Amino acid sequence: MTPADLSRTVLHAVRRAVDEDALRAPVPARVRVERTRPGGSGDYACAVALQLAGPAALPALEVARILRERVAAEPGVGRVEITGPGFLSFTLDAPGESDRAVLAAVRRQGFAYGHGDALRDEVLPFHHAREVRAAVTAQAVRRLLTAQGARVRITCAEAPDPDWARLGVTVDAHGTPLEAPLVPLTEIRPVPAGATAGELLERLGPDAARWGLLRAAGHDRAALGPELLVQGEANPLFRVRYAHARARALTRGAARLGFTAEAGAYSESPAGPAAHGASPAAQAVNAEPTATTAYEAAARPLLDLIADHPGVLLAGARHRAPDRVARQLEAVAHAFFDFHDSCPPLPAGDEKPSAAHRARLALAEAAGTVLAGGLSLLGIRAPEHL
């Protein structure tokens, strides 16, 4: 069960409680679940009971009890606890099951993983000045919002710069509206770039220019120097795209070795329990860690980031903040390389492909898909070769 699945499960429990007249309160548009903080109970928590207590005219603890009864029986939920003044804490079923569900969702949805319809009822007009950073930001905000089901219209104060097209920017109209719009315009006003689109394209090219314009929060100045072109780990854009390219290379390498990804647990070494005739003691030292021990520890940061990705995309859309997506991609790339170095997805030397390699490859492929999908939302290419 992914965080998005859990959110929908809790929302369904609220609807059931209202339909059954156990709660008399308006059903919220969504329920926010968050990963439990260090020292907390369970995997995820939410404050929906505190949110509903006032409208329901019930103590928050009573609302939490009503909802706990309806959530605890849902598939994928192992345990539901009530903590503090009325928080619900959720422990999901065995991590292996939850992890496989996340990886299966990525494989099934592809680059659209994390897209949804949470904003399907929104009609959002935006307006910006004739300035390249505002134009690129507005276009990225449009992509994020439409990925969540919203309808977006963008206007510019003046005729667009012809060079904006090379940065993937389009506007629906320009000039001052003759009539007041039915929905108030939202201004997109980041700190200006201090350069024209043509100047940035000449210095950086379209991908590096877009990353530089979007990576910083709108209230911060964009970093648009030559460091964006450095082919090394110090350049976050290069690291993100290199992680994607490496994930794709792993798939090609696995195909040459005759195996494919499979999101499953494993418990023995890639070479088998009696690898190379080693003694039992040596096998114990060299054996591949099980999915619930060292492998789990190495994979956990990457698995958690992939599971949280839909929530990051939705938050980026709601806050009109493509910089959140850029930072998420940086975190995924960093966790990917840590995982890749600790648990290589391809066998080495005389090793034969095993369940461990297939499981690792599934995670690496999911990371590559998340990186490509996120870059696409920012309007940046994700090449398969670097």
Side-chain angles (χ1 to χ4, degrees):
M1 176 177 287
T2 67
D5 293 333
L6 180 58
S7 176
R8 286 190 290 269
T9 297
V10 178
L11 184 59
H12 178 65
V14 173
R15 286 200 186 99
R16 280 179 53 203
V18 170
D19 291 344
E20 295 165 5
D21 209 29
L23 278 180
R24 296 183 179 180
V27 177
R30 68 186 185 106
V31 170
R32 182 178 181 181
V33 299
E34 296 183 330
R35 196 168 293 282
T36 303
R37 295 175 182 176
S41 174
D43 300 315
Y44 295 93
C46 81
V48 67
L50 283 76
Q51 176 185 345
L52 296 175
L58 290 172
L61 289 171
E62 177 63 15
V63 176
R65 185 191 63 77
I66 292 169
L67 297 179
R68 179 179 62 180
E69 295 173 352
R70 289 161 176 79
V71 176
E74 293 292 331
V77 178
R79 186 172 71 255
V80 183
E81 300 172 90
I82 300 172
T83 61
F87 292 102
L88 289 169
S89 296
F90 309 97
T91 300
L92 304 184
D93 279 342
E97 296 296 329
S98 177
D99 296 340
R100 282 193 288 273
V102 169
L103 298 183
V106 178
R107 179 177 285 270
R108 183 173 63 253
Q109 297 170 28
F111 295 163
Y113 174 67
H115 296 199
D117 60 359
L119 305 180
R120 63 186 177 278
D121 297 326
E122 302 279 353
V123 179
L124 302 168
F126 294 93
H127 188 73
H128 62 80
R130 192 178 189 271
E131 193 278 322
V132 62
R133 189 178 183 197
V136 169
T137 300
Q139 188 69 25
V141 168
R142 185 208 294 265
R143 289 172 182 262
L144 290 173
L145 287 166
T146 55
Q148 302 301 328
R151 288 172 288 168
V152 178
R153 177 177 171 81
I154 296 176
T155 57
C156 180
E158 303 174 53
D161 182 338
D163 285 328
W164 288 359
R166 295 166 59 196
L167 289 168
V169 171
T170 59
V171 298
D172 299 307
H174 66 272
T176 303
L178 297 178
E179 299 179 4
L182 296 177
V183 180
L185 289 173
T186 298
E187 289 277 348
I188 301 288
R189 290 187 295 183
V191 174
T196 66
E199 291 168 346
L200 293 176
L201 286 163
E202 182 177 354
R203 290 201 329 248
L204 301 172
D207 290 328
R210 284 187 68 91
W211 179 271
L213 292 167
L214 296 172
R215 170 58 182 82
H219 54 76
D220 293 328
R221 187 169 298 279
L224 297 165
E227 65 275 4
L228 289 167
L229 299 177
V230 172
Q231 302 288 294
E233 292 188 3
N235 178 2
L237 173 59
F238 174 81
R239 190 170 176 83
V240 167
R241 299 213 294 181
Y242 182 57
H244 166 263
R246 180 58 187 154
R248 294 293 177 254
L250 292 171
T251 299
R252 295 192 297 270
R256 288 193 293 269
L257 294 173
F259 76 99
T260 58
E262 181 181 343
Y266 61 89
S267 59
E268 61 182 51
S269 72
H276 312 299
S279 68
Q283 292 171 31
V285 171
N286 298 320
E288 180 67 26
T290 65
T292 56
T293 56
Y295 172 79
E296 186 70 16
R300 181 51 45 200
L302 182 55
L303 284 162
D304 287 347
L305 284 165
I306 292 173
D308 291 343
H309 189 67
V312 173
L313 295 187
L314 180 57
R318 288 187 183 279
H319 293 278
R320 318 326 186 211
D323 57 288
R324 294 190 178 205
V325 178
R327 289 195 296 273
Q328 163 77 352
L329 299 183
E330 291 178 25
V332 170
H334 182 80
F336 168 81
F337 284 118
D338 284 349
F339 163 73
H340 175 280
D341 294 344
S342 299
C343 306
L346 299 183
D350 294 334
E351 285 184 302
K352 295 186 181 301
S354 70
H357 294 117
R358 290 191 291 274
R360 292 169 175 179
L361 182 63
L363 179 52
E365 288 183 347
T369 298
V370 164
L371 292 170
L375 286 170
S376 176
L377 286 172
L378 299 179
I380 296 171
R381 292 172 302 142
E384 299 220 348
H385 303 272
L386 279 180

